[in-house]
Amino acid sequence: MEQYMEVNGREYQFATTYDGDAQYNVQVRSGDKLITMFKIAAETEEEVFPAAKAHFQADVEMGNIQL
């Protein structure tokens, strides 16, 4: 699944794949550039993107990801 979401005024592409055991692999891209990858635990597909956005936004704000 893919979805475009805005974080801190910039648009990013979030792509997820189901890993099993309620785990999703998330890739965040800006254009063709892979920004980061991480795993998210979610009960349903509807929960994945809000959780992924929150995780990514927290990483950016804490300085863990340099854009």
Side-chain angles (χ1 to χ4, degrees), residues 1 24 30 48 60 62:
M1 298 184 307
Y24 290 82
S30 178
V48 174
V60 169
M62 292 188 323

Side-chain angles (χ1 to χ4, degrees), residues 32-49:
D32 290 335
K33 181 180 177 188
L34 178 63
I35 304 296
T36 189
M37 295 172 51
F38 52 88
K39 289 186 182 265
I40 286 288
E43 294 292 323
T44 66
E45 289 181 354
E46 291 81 27
E47 296 174 357
V48 174
F49 288 110

Side-chain angles (χ1 to χ4, degrees), residues 17-31:
T17 56
Y18 186 65
D19 192 15
D21 296 327
Q23 291 281 321
Y24 290 82
N25 295 313
V26 179
Q27 291 185 348
V28 181
R29 295 182 177 274
S30 178

